[in-house]
Amino acid sequence: MPRVHSLQARIVLFFVILLVTMQGVLMFLVSVSGERIARNRIEQELTVGERVFRHLIEQNARQLTDAARVLAADFGFRTAIATRDFGTIVSVLNNHGSRIDASVLMLAGLDGTLLADTLHADRRDAVFAFPELIETARRERQASKVVLIDGKPYQLVVVPVLAPVPIAWVAIGFVIDDRVAGNLKAVTSLQLSFASRSPSGEWSLHASTLGEPLRSTLVSALLAAQSEAPQSAALRADSTPGPASATEVPRSIVLDGDRFETLAPVLGTSGEGKVVALLQRSLREGLEPFTRLRNVLLVLALASIALSIAGSFLIARTVSRPVNRLTAIARRVHDGDYSLRADVPGQDEIGDLARGFNHMLDGISRREEEILRLAFEDTLTALPNRAMFHDRLQQALLVAKRTAEPVSVMLLDLDRFKHINDSLGHPAGDQVLRDVASRLRDVLRESDTVARLGGDEFAILLPTGTPERVTQVVERILRVLEAPILLEGQPVDVGTSIGVASFPNDGDSVDLLMRHADVAMYVAKRGNVGYALYDERYEQGRPSQLSLLGELRRAVDKDELRLFYQPKLDLATGAVRRVEALVRWVHPERGMVPPNEFIPFAEQTGYIKRVTRWVIEHALQQAGEWHREGLDIAISINISARDLMSNDVVAQVSEALARHQVPPTLICLEITESGVMEDPTRALETLHRLHERGLRLSIDDFGTGYSSLAYLKKLPVQELKIDRSFVMHMVEDADDAAIVRSTIELGHNMGLEVVAEGVEQATELELLQRLGCDQIQGYFISKPLAKAQFVDWLKARRTADTARDRALELSVRVA
């Protein structure tokens, strides 16, 4: 049997549920429709049966009337009445009753006195019990009615005895019993019962075609219905039977579990109660044809369900077998086996699926081969990548640990590659990387591995890395990379810095050897010595640097940083309207930490962005406070290269300006020349976005970078700052003085203000003033001051300037 959640089981289950649902709906419709049709047909049968029943009652009444008229016309009978010969009267009545099989014959005088009664011989001279019949016969010459006599229903007719005027009234009647009911049933095809209800509300059943168990049930049902209806509404009937005469007998009566639809016309009313006829049709009998049909449909439904299960099982099996085969192949594919192919014959959808599956496997196999190649190969140089290099290094270490052979790792970083990439473009940089990869392969053995780790960084694995061989390989690499690389016919020099770490002296794991080789490479790059072998002394300061990073994070979070403000003096007016915000770290244990001890480290680790964010927030907060106090002092803020490359620096500054309500003209952002040249395109985009928001921009430490004038003129800056290294010695050094003079002239020719920093002597101030410098800052003017100290210094200076201006004005007036 198929599993419950398998495709085969679901197909079988679907067909079974669908068929069972359809058969169920069909059975329901047949049942509902059958019952409705049966009820309608029974209703029609009852209506027709009632008309036939009334017609038979009327026909019996006419026959009785004819028999009574024959008796009334008998001369001897009239003579006996006239002579009051009661013996003859009784004899005639009995003889006539025997001939017509009448149940009762009566003779009443004109005054309503009973003269003879074949049913009760001792009732002579009593009052005729049904005077209303005499009244009707007096008017219409005949009368007919169903009445109760001694508790039994009789159909009674009354006609006058004429001689030639009425001399008496003769009554003839037939008892209504089971025989009469059976005869009427044979004609109407309905169950027929005769019952009466006494004035006290008791029901009595006199005759019925029902079996004995149902008769007592019928009386109980009538009594139950009587108790539910008000006394006044239990029976509503006219005094004469007719179509309008009816009782409020329930339309539907349940007898022994079978429901009977019922009509109950009133036949007559007398002093002993009302007589009704109960015309009934069994709903079970009416539904019997539909029950047979339903049973036949049920058998057919069960047979069709069984056939559908078998058929759907075969269909599902036809579908699921090839699908199961495809599933088995998919599991093998999941386990990495791509060799199997689906063999499903046929031109149907399953065959198309199998062929598509095989095509997919072919594609997956090809793509996995390509993915494996890309996962372990650098696409630009076709060298192994970092993942492959780590794997080969891991394997080499496993072998070396067993054989005690040394293994060496070299990390290479190209010098001046970024400058080549930025100046000549990425295609030229790609060509350099491919050329370097080719040269490295040429100087190594087949057993050695050279890989490109990313960017301009390469790695070399020497599985037999003895010190002598390491030295030989390093020297060959340095020599081969000293040769210029031709780019579009132009020779380009590309140098390298190499760091070497060896197993087992420098580490016994992949991560450790790679990290130590990286440390040695940066030592070589900083020392410009070509290569360096790892020495553990290179990392003596690293624990303290890690500690410093953790403390710096805490300093930002706990607000241990402080802003100091160094004034900028306007040489033309002597006024101070600008300051530079400089961050200081007040360490809880070390005291004041100089910026040169943590700013470079923050730039190396990338944490400088958090520091810059803190500086921007607090500097703009201070600018807003001074602006609201009427002290419009512009504040310059240093932005690092990492900040300039960040996507959120513009949004951060804009949000802080709005939050602290600072005019953009009161904020100047200082960017180093080297920071701009790290990624000129991105830097230019960020600077333009800042400029569009109304911020002043300044190139800091101008002259120390490698930017070209062609690129500089594209920058949306308003200010150049001459680096302090040129200002400090310009009085004694003519070259520095010439650089300062040229920078000032260059800035003015480009429409920029020029600021000289690091001014510490009066002679420097005087020379800068003669050269036309716009502003200066340095310890000669003021050291960086805390907020309160700066405000006091500024007030004192402005007071002194005011006093000096008044003294000068007074001296001019006296003169």
Side-chain angles (χ1 to χ4, degrees):
M1 289 298 293
R3 298 190 307 274
V4 176
H5 297 291
S6 66
L7 175 61
Q8 184 175 347
R10 281 184 286 175
I11 292 175
V12 173
L13 189 61
F14 170 76
F15 280 109
V16 171
I17 292 177
L18 179 61
L19 188 58
V20 169
T21 302
M22 293 176 61
Q23 295 291 352
V25 172
L26 179 60
M27 296 291 291
F28 174 76
L29 293 177
V30 168
S31 178
V32 173
S33 301
E35 184 172 352
R36 184 172 62 251
I37 293 172
R39 287 182 181 275
N40 292 336
R41 192 172 69 180
I42 290 173
E43 183 72 23
Q44 293 175 359
E45 290 179 357
L46 288 175
T47 303
V48 173
E50 182 186 12
R51 288 200 297 268
V52 172
F53 171 77
R54 290 188 180 278
H55 176 72
L56 292 175
I57 292 296
E58 292 174 357
Q59 183 177 356
N60 289 341
R62 285 195 296 272
Q63 292 176 354
L64 286 175
T65 301
D66 292 340
R69 284 177 176 169
V70 169
L71 177 60
D74 185 86
F75 178 77
F77 182 63
R78 286 185 293 175
T79 301
I81 293 173
T83 61
R84 298 296 184 182
D85 185 357
F86 293 105
T88 302
I89 293 174
V90 172
S91 176
V92 173
L93 290 177
N94 286 330
N95 291 334
H96 191 72
S98 297
R99 285 195 301 271
I100 64 173
D101 198 19
S103 302
V104 60
L105 286 88
M106 299 181 187
L107 182 67
L110 294 179
D111 58 355
T113 301
L114 188 61
L115 301 178
D117 184 354
T118 62
L119 194 61
H120 303 96
D122 56 347
R123 287 189 180 179
R124 198 174 63 182
D125 298 330
V127 178
F128 186 66
F130 311 104
E132 67 275 9
L133 289 176
I134 294 176
E135 292 299 324
T136 303
R138 192 189 306 278
R139 294 193 304 272
E140 301 177 5
R141 298 299 181 178
Q142 67 178 24
S144 176
K145 186 176 184 182
V146 176
V147 296
L148 287 175
I149 301 175
D150 296 336
K152 293 181 180 181
Y154 285 81
Q155 186 174 15
L156 192 66
V157 297
V158 175
V159 296
V161 179
L162 302 175
V165 296
I167 61 174
W169 305 98
V170 64
I172 300 178
F174 292 93
V175 66
I176 299 177
D177 53 11
D178 290 345
R179 182 178 58 84
V180 175
N183 293 335
L184 293 175
K185 175 185 178 183
V187 179
T188 61
S189 299
L190 300 175
Q191 295 290 348
L192 189 61
S193 299
F194 293 92
S196 64
R197 178 179 175 274
S198 66
S200 63
E202 293 295 329
W203 281 95
S204 297
L205 184 63
H206 304 289
S208 177
T209 59
L210 297 173
E212 186 58 36
L214 297 181
R215 297 191 179 197
S216 58
T217 306
L218 177 59
V219 175
S220 300
L222 294 173
L223 292 174
Q226 180 63 31
S227 63
E228 294 176 0
Q231 179 74 16
S232 60
L235 288 172
R236 289 194 182 96
D238 297 330
S239 59
T240 60
S245 302
T247 68
E248 291 189 356
V249 173
R251 184 68 176 182
S252 182
I253 299 176
V254 177
L255 301 179
D256 197 20
D258 190 6
R259 184 175 298 277
F260 285 80
E261 298 299 313
T262 304
L263 283 180
V266 176
L267 301 180
T269 304
S270 65
E272 296 185 25
K274 293 184 178 181
V275 180
V276 297
L278 300 176
L279 305 176
Q280 293 180 302
R281 179 67 168 168
S282 170
L283 185 60
R284 180 183 300 167
E285 293 178 359
L287 289 174
E288 186 173 353
F290 299 97
T291 302
R292 289 196 298 268
L293 175 62
R294 185 177 59 192
N295 293 336
V296 172
L297 291 177
L298 180 60
V299 173
L300 293 176
L302 294 176
S304 62
I305 290 174
L307 292 176
S308 68
I309 292 175
S312 59
F313 181 81
L314 294 176
I315 295 173
R317 195 174 180 183
T318 303
V319 174
S320 62
R321 273 188 173 179
V323 172
N324 290 336
R325 288 200 292 271
L326 293 177
T327 302
I329 297 175
R331 292 194 183 98
R332 297 288 293 273
V333 171
H334 176 269
D335 296 334
D337 183 4
Y338 299 98
S339 61
L340 296 179
R341 291 297 181 268
D343 183 16
V344 179
Q347 300 300 318
D348 56 4
E349 291 81 355
I350 300 298
D352 293 339
L353 175 62
R355 287 185 287 274
F357 191 80
N358 292 334
H359 291 320
M360 181 188 69
L361 286 180
D362 294 337
I364 290 176
S365 181
R366 290 192 299 269
R367 284 191 290 273
E368 182 163 281
E369 292 175 359
E370 181 66 15
I371 289 172
L372 288 175
R373 186 185 69 80
L374 294 175
F376 295 102
E377 182 181 292
D378 177 59
T379 56
L380 180 62
T381 62
L383 294 177
N385 60 11
R386 183 184 295 271
M388 176 63 79
F389 185 81
H390 279 207
D391 182 69
R392 292 187 178 180
L393 177 55
Q394 181 67 46
Q395 299 301 321
L397 288 176
L398 293 176
V399 174
K401 290 176 182 178
R402 292 196 303 268
T403 61
E405 290 289 334
V407 174
S408 296
V409 175
M410 299 181 183
L411 289 186
L412 295 76
D413 187 78
L414 300 182
D415 299 334
R416 297 180 295 279
F417 176 76
K418 183 172 180 58
H419 180 68
I420 295 172
N421 211 30
D422 293 340
S423 302
L424 301 179
H426 291 290
D430 294 344
Q431 181 58 42
V432 169
L433 293 175
R434 285 191 290 265
D435 195 283
V436 169
S438 177
R439 295 185 185 187
L440 292 177
R441 274 194 296 258
D442 292 341
V443 300
L444 296 175
R445 300 174 181 173
E446 289 291 334
S447 59
D448 301 332
T449 299
V450 56
R452 181 184 174 219
L453 304 185
D456 61 344
E457 190 175 16
F458 294 83
I460 295 174
L461 169 63
L462 303 179
T464 56
T466 61
E468 295 76 12
R469 182 157 188 271
V470 168
T471 303
Q472 293 172 359
V473 172
V474 167
E475 291 175 351
R476 286 203 299 267
I477 292 174
L478 291 176
R479 282 197 304 271
V480 77
L481 293 183
E482 283 178 357
I485 297 175
L486 291 179
L487 295 176
E488 298 179 357
Q490 297 181 1
V492 176
D493 292 328
V494 178
T496 185
S497 299
I498 305 174
V500 183
S502 299
F503 168 83
N505 296 331
D506 302 329
D508 59 356
S509 68
V510 173
D511 293 338
L512 201 58
L513 286 175
M514 294 293 290
R515 184 166 66 84
H516 288 170
D518 187 65
V519 170
M521 182 187 69
Y522 278 103
V523 170
K525 184 177 287 289
R526 286 196 299 267
N528 197 24
V529 294
Y531 79 97
L533 303 177
Y534 175 75
D535 191 314
E536 61 183 10
R537 291 175 298 178
Y538 296 157
E539 292 195 291
Q540 289 179 353
R542 291 179 69 89
S544 62
Q545 291 179 350
L546 292 176
S547 175
L548 182 64
L549 177 60
E551 293 177 351
L552 184 57
R553 294 177 186 273
R554 184 197 63 193
V556 174
D557 294 337
K558 295 189 176 182
D559 215 21
E560 293 178 1
L561 302 181
R562 297 289 185 272
L563 282 184
F564 283 66
Y565 304 93
Q566 188 171 34
K568 294 182 179 181
L569 178 66
D570 190 329
L571 293 179
T573 63
V576 174
R577 294 188 178 86
R578 300 177 185 173
V579 296
E580 181 178 2
L582 303 171
V583 65
R584 297 291 185 266
W585 182 4
V586 182
H587 196 281
E589 297 177 358
R590 304 182 190 179
M592 187 70 71
V593 180
N596 57 358
E597 290 188 11
F598 70 90
I599 293 297
F601 176 70
E603 289 179 341
Q604 293 176 7
T605 59
Y607 201 69
I608 188 65
K609 292 195 291 185
R610 286 288 306 276
V611 176
T612 303
R613 189 180 302 117
W614 186 93
V615 171
I616 290 175
E617 176 64 25
H618 288 75
L620 267 67
Q621 181 181 359
Q622 184 59 65
E625 292 178 2
W626 282 341
H627 178 65
R628 287 188 291 273
E629 294 172 0
L631 189 63
D632 288 335
I633 299 294
I635 300 179
S636 297
I637 303 171
N638 289 285
I639 301 296
S640 70
R642 287 181 180 269
D643 297 315
L644 197 59
M645 300 303 111
S646 174
N647 292 325
D648 56 358
V649 65
V650 178
Q652 179 189 350
V653 173
S654 301
E655 192 271 337
L657 285 171
R659 186 171 60 257
H660 298 297
Q661 299 179 354
V662 180
T665 54
L666 294 181
I667 301 299
C668 179
L669 302 181
E670 297 184 1
I671 305 98
T672 60
E673 186 181 2
S674 58
V676 172
M677 296 310 298
E678 282 195 13
D679 189 344
T681 302
R682 193 168 181 179
L684 185 62
E685 178 185 353
T686 302
L687 291 176
H688 274 294
R689 292 173 62 192
L690 292 169
H691 177 68
E692 290 170 357
R693 283 159 176 77
L695 297 162
R696 287 177 55 83
L697 301 175
S698 173
I699 296 295
D700 196 10
D701 300 336
F702 183 76
T704 60
Y706 300 95
S707 61
S708 64
L709 294 178
Y711 184 78
L712 183 63
K713 70 179 182 179
K714 298 179 182 179
L715 301 179
V717 298
Q718 294 81 38
E719 179 180 287
L720 288 181
K721 291 189 72 173
I722 305 174
D723 187 66
R724 66 176 65 248
S725 61
F726 302 116
V727 176
M728 292 173 61
H729 305 290
M730 67 177 183
V731 176
E732 300 86 6
D733 192 328
D735 291 338
D736 285 348
I739 291 174
V740 172
R741 180 185 301 106
S742 300
T743 302
I744 294 174
E745 292 176 355
L746 173 66
H748 286 166
N749 290 335
M750 297 179 66
L752 306 177
E753 294 186 15
V754 181
V755 180
E757 58 181 355
V759 178
E760 299 182 357
Q761 301 178 21
T763 53
E764 297 169 353
L765 184 151
E766 294 170 358
L767 179 56
L768 289 169
Q769 198 165 22
R770 289 199 302 273
L771 294 177
C773 185
D774 298 302
Q775 297 185 57
I776 62 172
Q777 73 179 88
Y779 273 70
F780 183 74
I781 307 301
S782 172
K783 66 178 183 179
L785 302 172
K787 177 184 70 172
Q789 293 175 330
F790 169 73
V791 173
D792 293 341
W793 178 88
L794 184 62
K795 288 181 180 179
R797 181 176 180 83
R798 289 184 175 180
T799 301
D801 290 345
T802 302
R804 185 175 64 252
D805 292 343
R806 288 180 179 176
L808 180 62
E809 181 182 358
L810 182 60
S811 63
V812 170
R813 289 179 179 178
V814 171

